[in-house]
PDB file of all heavy atoms in Angstrom:
ATOM      1  N   LYS A   1       9.907  -5.929   8.518  1.00 83.00           N
ATOM      2  CA  LYS A   1       9.399  -5.221   9.723  1.00 83.00           C
ATOM      3  C   LYS A   1      10.199  -4.043  10.153  1.00 83.00           C
ATOM      4  O   LYS A   1      10.212  -3.605  11.287  1.00 83.00           O
ATOM      5  CB  LYS A   1       9.193  -6.221  10.839  1.00 83.00           C
ATOM      6  CG  LYS A   1       8.197  -7.308  10.594  1.00 83.00           C
ATOM      7  CD  LYS A   1       7.944  -8.188  11.808  1.00 83.00           C
ATOM      8  CE  LYS A   1       6.942  -9.244  11.517  1.00 83.00           C
ATOM      9  NZ  LYS A   1       6.637 -10.100  12.681  1.00 83.00           N
ATOM     10  N   THR A   2      10.996  -3.497   9.179  1.00 84.00           N
ATOM     11  CA  THR A   2      11.711  -2.239   9.492  1.00 84.00           C
ATOM     12  C   THR A   2      10.716  -1.087   9.356  1.00 84.00           C
ATOM     13  O   THR A   2       9.642  -1.279   8.771  1.00 84.00           O
ATOM     14  CB  THR A   2      12.891  -2.042   8.565  1.00 84.00           C
ATOM     15  OG1 THR A   2      12.357  -1.883   7.195  1.00 84.00           O
ATOM     16  CG2 THR A   2      13.848  -3.211   8.563  1.00 84.00           C
ATOM     17  N   ARG A   3      11.072   0.098   9.809  1.00 82.00           N
ATOM     18  CA  ARG A   3      10.211   1.252   9.657  1.00 82.00           C
ATOM     19  C   ARG A   3      10.022   1.602   8.185  1.00 82.00           C
ATOM     20  O   ARG A   3       8.918   1.904   7.729  1.00 82.00           O
ATOM     21  CB  ARG A   3      10.791   2.467  10.407  1.00 82.00           C
ATOM     22  CG  ARG A   3      10.690   2.305  11.959  1.00 82.00           C
ATOM     23  CD  ARG A   3      11.585   3.284  12.629  1.00 82.00           C
ATOM     24  NE  ARG A   3      13.024   3.029  12.375  1.00 82.00           N
ATOM     25  CZ  ARG A   3      13.987   3.756  12.905  1.00 82.00           C
ATOM     26  NH1 ARG A   3      13.689   4.783  13.746  1.00 82.00           N
ATOM     27  NH2 ARG A   3      15.224   3.468  12.636  1.00 82.00           N
ATOM     28  N   SER A   4      11.147   1.518   7.398  1.00 86.00           N
ATOM     29  CA  SER A   4      11.016   1.799   5.950  1.00 86.00           C
ATOM     30  C   SER A   4      10.231   0.709   5.253  1.00 86.00           C
ATOM     31  O   SER A   4       9.654   0.901   4.175  1.00 86.00           O
ATOM     32  CB  SER A   4      12.390   1.946   5.364  1.00 86.00           C
ATOM     33  OG  SER A   4      13.110   3.071   5.949  1.00 86.00           O
ATOM     34  N   GLY A   5      10.206  -0.480   5.854  1.00 77.00           N
ATOM     35  CA  GLY A   5       9.428  -1.576   5.316  1.00 77.00           C
ATOM     36  C   GLY A   5       7.904  -1.337   5.351  1.00 77.00           C
ATOM     37  O   GLY A   5       7.137  -2.067   4.747  1.00 77.00           O
ATOM     38  N   LEU A   6       7.479  -0.248   6.004  1.00 88.00           N
ATOM     39  CA  LEU A   6       6.100   0.077   6.035  1.00 88.00           C
ATOM     40  C   LEU A   6       5.552   0.417   4.652  1.00 88.00           C
ATOM     41  O   LEU A   6       4.363   0.525   4.450  1.00 88.00           O
ATOM     42  CB  LEU A   6       5.818   1.266   7.006  1.00 88.00           C
ATOM     43  CG  LEU A   6       5.938   0.918   8.498  1.00 88.00           C
ATOM     44  CD1 LEU A   6       5.874   2.170   9.346  1.00 88.00           C
ATOM     45  CD2 LEU A   6       4.845  -0.082   8.900  1.00 88.00           C
ATOM     46  N   LEU A   7       6.486   0.647   3.731  1.00 92.00           N
ATOM     47  CA  LEU A   7       6.112   0.853   2.306  1.00 92.00           C
ATOM     48  C   LEU A   7       5.128  -0.244   1.849  1.00 92.00           C
ATOM     49  O   LEU A   7       4.162   0.038   1.119  1.00 92.00           O
ATOM     50  CB  LEU A   7       7.358   0.810   1.454  1.00 92.00           C
ATOM     51  CG  LEU A   7       7.146   0.669  -0.065  1.00 92.00           C
ATOM     52  CD1 LEU A   7       6.459   1.894  -0.638  1.00 92.00           C
ATOM     53  CD2 LEU A   7       8.445   0.436  -0.783  1.00 92.00           C
ATOM     54  N   TRP A   8       5.365  -1.445   2.313  1.00 92.00           N
ATOM     55  CA  TRP A   8       4.552  -2.559   1.800  1.00 92.00           C
ATOM     56  C   TRP A   8       3.158  -2.590   2.379  1.00 92.00           C
ATOM     57  O   TRP A   8       2.261  -3.328   1.884  1.00 92.00           O
ATOM     58  CB  TRP A   8       5.290  -3.871   2.046  1.00 92.00           C
ATOM     59  CG  TRP A   8       6.638  -3.839   1.340  1.00 92.00           C
ATOM     60  CD1 TRP A   8       7.836  -3.572   1.910  1.00 92.00           C
ATOM     61  CD2 TRP A   8       6.842  -4.000  -0.040  1.00 92.00           C
ATOM     62  NE1 TRP A   8       8.845  -3.563   0.946  1.00 92.00           N
ATOM     63  CE2 TRP A   8       8.269  -3.786  -0.300  1.00 92.00           C
ATOM     64  CE3 TRP A   8       6.031  -4.258  -1.149  1.00 92.00           C
ATOM     65  CZ2 TRP A   8       8.793  -3.894  -1.554  1.00 92.00           C
ATOM     66  CZ3 TRP A   8       6.580  -4.327  -2.420  1.00 92.00           C
ATOM     67  CH2 TRP A   8       7.971  -4.139  -2.605  1.00 92.00           C
ATOM     68  N   GLU A   9       2.937  -1.774   3.407  1.00 94.00           N
ATOM     69  CA  GLU A   9       1.555  -1.596   3.890  1.00 94.00           C
ATOM     70  C   GLU A   9       0.761  -0.847   2.822  1.00 94.00           C
ATOM     71  O   GLU A   9      -0.489  -1.040   2.695  1.00 94.00           O
ATOM     72  CB  GLU A   9       1.581  -0.841   5.178  1.00 94.00           C
ATOM     73  CG  GLU A   9       2.080  -1.587   6.370  1.00 94.00           C
ATOM     74  CD  GLU A   9       1.198  -2.803   6.719  1.00 94.00           C
ATOM     75  OE1 GLU A   9      -0.043  -2.671   6.692  1.00 94.00           O
ATOM     76  OE2 GLU A   9       1.738  -3.874   7.025  1.00 94.00           O
ATOM     77  N   VAL A  10       1.409   0.049   2.100  1.00 96.00           N
ATOM     78  CA  VAL A  10       0.751   0.769   0.970  1.00 96.00           C
ATOM     79  C   VAL A  10       0.368  -0.241  -0.113  1.00 96.00           C
ATOM     80  O   VAL A  10      -0.772  -0.182  -0.651  1.00 96.00           O
ATOM     81  CB  VAL A  10       1.663   1.830   0.405  1.00 96.00           C
ATOM     82  CG1 VAL A  10       0.961   2.600  -0.745  1.00 96.00           C
ATOM     83  CG2 VAL A  10       2.180   2.808   1.451  1.00 96.00           C
ATOM     84  N   GLU A  11       1.212  -1.198  -0.402  1.00 96.00           N
ATOM     85  CA  GLU A  11       0.862  -2.215  -1.377  1.00 96.00           C
ATOM     86  C   GLU A  11      -0.333  -3.041  -0.909  1.00 96.00           C
ATOM     87  O   GLU A  11      -1.291  -3.291  -1.696  1.00 96.00           O
ATOM     88  CB  GLU A  11       2.067  -3.201  -1.603  1.00 96.00           C
ATOM     89  CG  GLU A  11       1.766  -4.321  -2.582  1.00 96.00           C
ATOM     90  CD  GLU A  11       2.778  -5.474  -2.526  1.00 96.00           C
ATOM     91  OE1 GLU A  11       3.093  -5.869  -1.385  1.00 96.00           O
ATOM     92  OE2 GLU A  11       3.197  -5.929  -3.590  1.00 96.00           O
ATOM     93  N   ARG A  12      -0.375  -3.376   0.370  1.00 97.00           N
ATOM     94  CA  ARG A  12      -1.482  -4.103   0.924  1.00 97.00           C
ATOM     95  C   ARG A  12      -2.796  -3.347   0.733  1.00 97.00           C
ATOM     96  O   ARG A  12      -3.792  -3.935   0.246  1.00 97.00           O
ATOM     97  CB  ARG A  12      -1.291  -4.413   2.411  1.00 97.00           C
ATOM     98  CG  ARG A  12      -2.437  -5.106   3.059  1.00 97.00           C
ATOM     99  CD  ARG A  12      -2.174  -5.272   4.541  1.00 97.00           C
ATOM    100  NE  ARG A  12      -2.060  -3.998   5.294  1.00 97.00           N
ATOM    101  CZ  ARG A  12      -3.054  -3.209   5.669  1.00 97.00           C
ATOM    102  NH1 ARG A  12      -4.305  -3.549   5.388  1.00 97.00           N
ATOM    103  NH2 ARG A  12      -2.827  -2.139   6.352  1.00 97.00           N
ATOM    104  N   LEU A  13      -2.788  -2.113   1.044  1.00 98.00           N
ATOM    105  CA  LEU A  13      -3.963  -1.269   0.930  1.00 98.00           C
ATOM    106  C   LEU A  13      -4.439  -1.178  -0.528  1.00 98.00           C
ATOM    107  O   LEU A  13      -5.660  -1.291  -0.828  1.00 98.00           O
ATOM    108  CB  LEU A  13      -3.737   0.121   1.520  1.00 98.00           C
ATOM    109  CG  LEU A  13      -3.594   0.210   3.025  1.00 98.00           C
ATOM    110  CD1 LEU A  13      -3.114   1.553   3.448  1.00 98.00           C
ATOM    111  CD2 LEU A  13      -4.939  -0.142   3.708  1.00 98.00           C
ATOM    112  N   LEU A  14      -3.493  -0.913  -1.438  1.00 98.00           N
ATOM    113  CA  LEU A  14      -3.865  -0.813  -2.853  1.00 98.00           C
ATOM    114  C   LEU A  14      -4.471  -2.129  -3.404  1.00 98.00           C
ATOM    115  O   LEU A  14      -5.401  -2.135  -4.186  1.00 98.00           O
ATOM    116  CB  LEU A  14      -2.644  -0.374  -3.672  1.00 98.00           C
ATOM    117  CG  LEU A  14      -2.138   1.050  -3.421  1.00 98.00           C
ATOM    118  CD1 LEU A  14      -0.857   1.297  -4.198  1.00 98.00           C
ATOM    119  CD2 LEU A  14      -3.224   2.074  -3.790  1.00 98.00           C
ATOM    120  N   ASN A  15      -3.853  -3.255  -2.937  1.00 97.00           N
ATOM    121  CA  ASN A  15      -4.351  -4.546  -3.399  1.00 97.00           C
ATOM    122  C   ASN A  15      -5.746  -4.824  -2.902  1.00 97.00           C
ATOM    123  O   ASN A  15      -6.524  -5.564  -3.512  1.00 97.00           O
ATOM    124  CB  ASN A  15      -3.392  -5.677  -2.963  1.00 97.00           C
ATOM    125  CG  ASN A  15      -2.153  -5.779  -3.864  1.00 97.00           C
ATOM    126  OD1 ASN A  15      -2.197  -5.422  -5.044  1.00 97.00           O
ATOM    127  ND2 ASN A  15      -1.061  -6.188  -3.270  1.00 97.00           N
ATOM    128  N   GLU A  16      -6.121  -4.238  -1.713  1.00 97.00           N
ATOM    129  CA  GLU A  16      -7.410  -4.430  -1.154  1.00 97.00           C
ATOM    130  C   GLU A  16      -8.479  -3.551  -1.807  1.00 97.00           C
ATOM    131  O   GLU A  16      -9.677  -3.842  -1.706  1.00 97.00           O
ATOM    132  CB  GLU A  16      -7.394  -4.154   0.301  1.00 97.00           C
ATOM    133  CG  GLU A  16      -6.649  -5.156   1.193  1.00 97.00           C
ATOM    134  CD  GLU A  16      -6.570  -4.707   2.638  1.00 97.00           C
ATOM    135  OE1 GLU A  16      -7.162  -3.674   2.998  1.00 97.00           O
ATOM    136  OE2 GLU A  16      -5.876  -5.395   3.455  1.00 97.00           O
ATOM    137  N   CYS A  17      -8.026  -2.509  -2.508  1.00 98.00           N
ATOM    138  CA  CYS A  17      -8.987  -1.536  -3.057  1.00 98.00           C
ATOM    139  C   CYS A  17      -9.772  -2.103  -4.208  1.00 98.00           C
ATOM    140  O   CYS A  17      -9.197  -2.773  -5.092  1.00 98.00           O
ATOM    141  CB  CYS A  17      -8.217  -0.275  -3.554  1.00 98.00           C
ATOM    142  SG  CYS A  17      -7.614   0.772  -2.273  1.00 98.00           S
ATOM    143  N   THR A  18     -11.072  -1.828  -4.238  1.00 97.00           N
ATOM    144  CA  THR A  18     -11.888  -2.170  -5.414  1.00 97.00           C
ATOM    145  C   THR A  18     -11.777  -1.024  -6.464  1.00 97.00           C
ATOM    146  O   THR A  18     -11.951  -1.291  -7.668  1.00 97.00           O
ATOM    147  CB  THR A  18     -13.357  -2.350  -5.025  1.00 97.00           C
ATOM    148  OG1 THR A  18     -13.828  -1.198  -4.308  1.00 97.00           O
ATOM    149  CG2 THR A  18     -13.497  -3.546  -4.082  1.00 97.00           C
ATOM    150  N   LYS A  19     -11.510   0.146  -6.021  1.00 97.00           N
ATOM    151  CA  LYS A  19     -11.263   1.303  -6.912  1.00 97.00           C
ATOM    152  C   LYS A  19      -9.938   1.942  -6.474  1.00 97.00           C
ATOM    153  O   LYS A  19      -9.701   2.134  -5.285  1.00 97.00           O
ATOM    154  CB  LYS A  19     -12.388   2.336  -6.818  1.00 97.00           C
ATOM    155  CG  LYS A  19     -13.737   1.868  -7.380  1.00 97.00           C
ATOM    156  CD  LYS A  19     -14.720   2.967  -7.383  1.00 97.00           C
ATOM    157  CE  LYS A  19     -16.089   2.425  -7.915  1.00 97.00           C
ATOM    158  NZ  LYS A  19     -16.053   2.120  -9.303  1.00 97.00           N
ATOM    159  N   LEU A  20      -9.073   2.189  -7.433  1.00 98.00           N
ATOM    160  CA  LEU A  20      -7.710   2.653  -7.107  1.00 98.00           C
ATOM    161  C   LEU A  20      -7.564   4.183  -7.327  1.00 98.00           C
ATOM    162  O   LEU A  20      -8.294   4.756  -8.127  1.00 98.00           O
ATOM    163  CB  LEU A  20      -6.711   1.993  -8.041  1.00 98.00           C
ATOM    164  CG  LEU A  20      -6.481   0.535  -7.828  1.00 98.00           C
ATOM    165  CD1 LEU A  20      -5.735  -0.107  -9.024  1.00 98.00           C
ATOM    166  CD2 LEU A  20      -5.682   0.305  -6.492  1.00 98.00           C
ATOM    167  N   PRO A  21      -6.719   4.794  -6.537  1.00 98.00           N
ATOM    168  CA  PRO A  21      -6.413   6.253  -6.738  1.00 98.00           C
ATOM    169  C   PRO A  21      -5.877   6.427  -8.177  1.00 98.00           C
ATOM    170  O   PRO A  21      -5.065   5.589  -8.621  1.00 98.00           O
ATOM    171  CB  PRO A  21      -5.369   6.559  -5.682  1.00 98.00           C
ATOM    172  CG  PRO A  21      -5.434   5.418  -4.740  1.00 98.00           C
ATOM    173  CD  PRO A  21      -5.868   4.244  -5.487  1.00 98.00           C
ATOM    174  N   GLN A  22      -6.241   7.522  -8.815  1.00 97.00           N
ATOM    175  CA  GLN A  22      -5.731   7.775 -10.175  1.00 97.00           C
ATOM    176  C   GLN A  22      -4.259   8.200 -10.200  1.00 97.00           C
ATOM    177  O   GLN A  22      -3.566   7.957 -11.168  1.00 97.00           O
ATOM    178  CB  GLN A  22      -6.589   8.835 -10.849  1.00 97.00           C
ATOM    179  CG  GLN A  22      -7.989   8.400 -11.182  1.00 97.00           C
ATOM    180  CD  GLN A  22      -8.979   8.849 -10.091  1.00 97.00           C
ATOM    181  OE1 GLN A  22      -8.634   8.901  -8.904  1.00 97.00           O
ATOM    182  NE2 GLN A  22     -10.174   9.205 -10.530  1.00 97.00           N
ATOM    183  N   VAL A  23      -3.825   8.822  -9.078  1.00 98.00           N
ATOM    184  CA  VAL A  23      -2.440   9.350  -8.986  1.00 98.00           C
ATOM    185  C   VAL A  23      -1.864   8.956  -7.668  1.00 98.00           C
ATOM    186  O   VAL A  23      -2.481   9.111  -6.593  1.00 98.00           O
ATOM    187  CB  VAL A  23      -2.394  10.864  -9.174  1.00 98.00           C
ATOM    188  CG1 VAL A  23      -0.938  11.381  -9.084  1.00 98.00           C
ATOM    189  CG2 VAL A  23      -3.007  11.271 -10.515  1.00 98.00           C
ATOM    190  N   LEU A  24      -0.592   8.513  -7.680  1.00 98.00           N
ATOM    191  CA  LEU A  24       0.203   8.268  -6.442  1.00 98.00           C
ATOM    192  C   LEU A  24       1.432   9.142  -6.471  1.00 98.00           C
ATOM    193  O   LEU A  24       2.002   9.366  -7.537  1.00 98.00           O
ATOM    194  CB  LEU A  24       0.628   6.772  -6.409  1.00 98.00           C
ATOM    195  CG  LEU A  24      -0.397   5.687  -6.596  1.00 98.00           C
ATOM    196  CD1 LEU A  24       0.269   4.305  -6.528  1.00 98.00           C
ATOM    197  CD2 LEU A  24      -1.489   5.789  -5.571  1.00 98.00           C
TER     198      LEU A  24
END
């Protein structure tokens, strides 16, 4: 729950995606 720990919100979003972005 640190500010830098918000990185893992990106993981959550990607895991929820049915189609993924081609480039990160």
Side-chain angles (χ1 to χ4, degrees):
K1 296 185 179 181
T2 63
R3 290 166 294 181
S4 297
L6 288 172
L7 165 67
W8 301 101
E9 290 295 319
V10 181
E11 180 195 44
R12 175 184 63 80
L13 289 170
L14 292 175
N15 283 330
E16 290 176 3
C17 286
T18 55
K19 293 183 182 294
L20 290 166
Q22 294 95 324
V23 179
L24 310 177

